[in-house]
Amino acid sequence: MNKINLRKLAGGLLLAGLLLQTAPVALAQNGSAKPADKNAAINAAIRKEAMDNSQIKKTLHYFTDVYGPRLTGSPKLKAAGEWAVKQMKEWGFDKAEMEPWNWGNPGWENDRASGFLVSPVKDSLVFEVLAWTPSTNGAVTGDAVRLEFPNVQVITQDVLDKFFAEQKANLAGKIVLFGAPRDVNVNFDEPAKRLDDSTLAARLAPAQRPSVPPVQPPRPQPDPNRLSFGQINRQMDAFLKEAGVLVRINDAGRPHGQIRAFGNSTYDPTAVVPTVVMRNEDYGRIWRLMQNGNNVKLEFDIRNSIYPEGATAYNVIGEIAGTDKTDEVIMLGGHLDAWHSATGATDNGIGCSVMMEAARILKALDVKPRRTIRVALWSGEEQGLLGSQAYVEKHFGSAENPKPAYSKFGGYFNIDSGTGRARAMTVFGPPEAASILRDAVAPFSDLKIAGANNTLSRRLGGSDHTSFNQAGLPGIGVLQDPIEYFTHTWHTNLDTYERIVDEDVKASAAVIAAAVYELAMRDELLPRVPAGEMPALD
């Protein structure tokens, strides 16, 4: 590893101190005054290490090319975590380990899958297997059939039962296309890949506590006879299995071959038939062939493996020990688990790589943080932030039921929106907490970080920092440039190593390292919402 010369660092810090005495403020580009950089020497060292010696792409290579995809409970996710532990130890971290937690469902991996259009023409098909669904019984061939719901506004149990009775005799030994193909039109207004200044300014407005709770309109009473989507889908799964369907095909419904394949919500492969999500272009072609009177025959060979031991998942934890405030903790991280359609680069191998890199930079510079710096790579995020929730509950508790470490927590930084560079931060807490972060990242404004704001919402959702927010702790979400995240890579078969923008992720690592350093070295922890003013759980 590369370390800066300590004598040069000391000299730099002395010079920075002299500069602060003679020039307490500097002018921002717009002419307004901003505080001079009190961490000038260490920030310069962070910037140099981040740009010249980055390990991000190497880390990402292992997470994606070697161990991807990384579905929760799968052997590949566990192996990726074990590699991360080994790597952090090699970097000199004081502690690195796998911390188990139980989520109660088996692990699942697709080993291989192939599909073909057999007649009236021959071609290969592009699809992904739905997670936690079973294998086919070897290679299976069957006639394709179209299955469409009745065209009614409300699906009741009577409507569903009638539909099942009409369709059952026609499905044994068949391959079912479930629903008409989606009409995916050309998008003539593609969203921007960078956030503009006006968008950032709007998002950086401080949170305001409402003086009067807003009046909520009365909710309409739900129709007691209407079946929910979940109820319909569970009954449909059971019906297709009982009817003897060979394979269920769902339309991906996205442009340019994009596929998002999630999972069987029961996590029980015995409850469903083999299921795939097919690219819209192939699905539409098959549908049109049948619509025009052709008898279509398809072939699939799907082989999946189930891992009962996957009910125990793992969060990866690495630490750089603190000095005089070692029992206080600053955390940073992202979720290591990923959906299985690709290798999980932008969601969220890169977030984990950036956060490991931010901590590596500080270790390489041989800083002596006052507080312990702790990296966390979560599992179970894609199933509902489960790993981070389990961790927060175990180690910190909540505002309502705090554990001893609750008062020693100083903030958790989270990256989980792809390859785009860090542009702003949002911290759960009072405006003063955002001001501290804003000052910490201001010296990196040339890397396009715009500042920070605060939130008072304890609503769970989005990503793992909200597990901390929900507990009343300062979770810090990082707003990023979108690049192609939501349009192309998020949860899709395009989420691979090639989609990473090198300079963006280096910039993010530098910004995060500087912010973590500031929180690890301050005399006091980040200001928190006073106990008597803690917002209610959303």
Short mmCIF file of all heavy atoms in Angstrom, two decimals, residues 160 227-237 265-266:
data_model
loop_
_atom_site.label_atom_id
_atom_site.label_comp_id
_atom_site.label_asym_id
_atom_site.label_seq_id
_atom_site.Cartn_x
_atom_site.Cartn_y
_atom_site.Cartn_z
N LEU A 160 -62.11 -14.86 -11.23
CA LEU A 160 -60.89 -15.65 -11.32
C LEU A 160 -61.20 -17.14 -11.42
O LEU A 160 -60.61 -17.85 -12.23
CB LEU A 160 -60.00 -15.37 -10.12
CG LEU A 160 -58.54 -15.82 -10.22
CD1 LEU A 160 -57.85 -15.18 -11.41
CD2 LEU A 160 -57.78 -15.49 -8.93
N LEU A 227 -59.80 -8.62 -5.56
CA LEU A 227 -58.59 -9.33 -5.20
C LEU A 227 -57.37 -8.44 -5.45
O LEU A 227 -57.31 -7.72 -6.44
CB LEU A 227 -58.46 -10.61 -6.02
CG LEU A 227 -59.53 -11.68 -5.81
CD1 LEU A 227 -59.28 -12.86 -6.74
CD2 LEU A 227 -59.57 -12.15 -4.36
N SER A 228 -56.42 -8.50 -4.53
CA SER A 228 -55.18 -7.75 -4.71
C SER A 228 -54.30 -8.46 -5.74
O SER A 228 -54.51 -9.63 -6.07
CB SER A 228 -54.43 -7.65 -3.39
OG SER A 228 -53.94 -8.93 -2.99
N PHE A 229 -53.27 -7.74 -6.22
CA PHE A 229 -52.34 -8.34 -7.16
C PHE A 229 -51.68 -9.57 -6.55
O PHE A 229 -51.50 -10.60 -7.20
CB PHE A 229 -51.28 -7.32 -7.58
CG PHE A 229 -50.21 -7.90 -8.45
CD1 PHE A 229 -50.42 -8.10 -9.81
CD2 PHE A 229 -48.98 -8.28 -7.91
CE1 PHE A 229 -49.42 -8.65 -10.61
CE2 PHE A 229 -47.99 -8.84 -8.71
CZ PHE A 229 -48.21 -9.01 -10.06
N GLY A 230 -51.29 -9.45 -5.27
CA GLY A 230 -50.66 -10.57 -4.61
C GLY A 230 -51.55 -11.79 -4.52
O GLY A 230 -51.11 -12.93 -4.74
N GLN A 231 -52.82 -11.56 -4.20
CA GLN A 231 -53.77 -12.67 -4.12
C GLN A 231 -53.95 -13.34 -5.49
O GLN A 231 -53.97 -14.57 -5.59
CB GLN A 231 -55.12 -12.16 -3.61
CG GLN A 231 -55.12 -11.75 -2.15
CD GLN A 231 -56.42 -11.07 -1.75
OE1 GLN A 231 -56.97 -10.26 -2.51
NE2 GLN A 231 -56.90 -11.39 -0.55
N ILE A 232 -54.06 -12.52 -6.52
CA ILE A 232 -54.23 -13.06 -7.87
C ILE A 232 -52.99 -13.87 -8.28
O ILE A 232 -53.09 -14.98 -8.80
CB ILE A 232 -54.49 -11.93 -8.88
CG1 ILE A 232 -55.84 -11.26 -8.58
CG2 ILE A 232 -54.47 -12.46 -10.31
CD1 ILE A 232 -56.07 -9.99 -9.37
N ASN A 233 -51.80 -13.31 -8.02
CA ASN A 233 -50.58 -13.96 -8.46
C ASN A 233 -50.36 -15.29 -7.75
O ASN A 233 -49.94 -16.28 -8.36
CB ASN A 233 -49.38 -13.03 -8.25
CG ASN A 233 -48.22 -13.37 -9.17
OD1 ASN A 233 -48.41 -13.59 -10.35
ND2 ASN A 233 -47.02 -13.40 -8.62
N ARG A 234 -50.64 -15.34 -6.44
CA ARG A 234 -50.47 -16.59 -5.71
C ARG A 234 -51.42 -17.67 -6.22
O ARG A 234 -51.04 -18.84 -6.39
CB ARG A 234 -50.67 -16.36 -4.21
CG ARG A 234 -49.47 -15.70 -3.53
CD ARG A 234 -49.61 -15.70 -2.04
NE ARG A 234 -50.70 -14.84 -1.59
CZ ARG A 234 -50.57 -13.55 -1.34
NH1 ARG A 234 -49.41 -12.94 -1.54
NH2 ARG A 234 -51.60 -12.83 -0.91
N GLN A 235 -52.66 -17.29 -6.49
CA GLN A 235 -53.61 -18.26 -7.04
C GLN A 235 -53.23 -18.67 -8.46
O GLN A 235 -53.40 -19.84 -8.84
CB GLN A 235 -55.02 -17.68 -7.02
CG GLN A 235 -55.60 -17.52 -5.61
CD GLN A 235 -57.07 -17.17 -5.65
OE1 GLN A 235 -57.88 -17.89 -6.23
NE2 GLN A 235 -57.42 -16.04 -5.03
N MET A 236 -52.70 -17.72 -9.24
CA MET A 236 -52.26 -18.04 -10.59
C MET A 236 -51.11 -19.04 -10.57
O MET A 236 -51.08 -20.00 -11.36
CB MET A 236 -51.86 -16.76 -11.32
CG MET A 236 -51.39 -16.99 -12.76
SD MET A 236 -52.68 -17.70 -13.82
CE MET A 236 -53.83 -16.31 -13.86
N ASP A 237 -50.15 -18.83 -9.67
CA ASP A 237 -49.03 -19.76 -9.55
C ASP A 237 -49.53 -21.18 -9.25
O ASP A 237 -49.10 -22.16 -9.87
CB ASP A 237 -48.08 -19.31 -8.45
CG ASP A 237 -47.23 -18.11 -8.86
OD1 ASP A 237 -47.02 -17.91 -10.07
OD2 ASP A 237 -46.78 -17.37 -7.96
N SER A 265 -42.17 -14.50 -4.96
CA SER A 265 -42.32 -13.81 -3.67
C SER A 265 -42.45 -14.76 -2.49
O SER A 265 -42.26 -14.36 -1.35
CB SER A 265 -43.53 -12.87 -3.71
OG SER A 265 -44.73 -13.60 -3.95
N THR A 266 -42.77 -16.03 -2.75
CA THR A 266 -42.86 -16.99 -1.64
C THR A 266 -41.50 -17.58 -1.29
O THR A 266 -41.37 -18.21 -0.23
CB THR A 266 -43.82 -18.14 -2.00
OG1 THR A 266 -43.22 -18.96 -3.02
CG2 THR A 266 -45.15 -17.62 -2.49
#
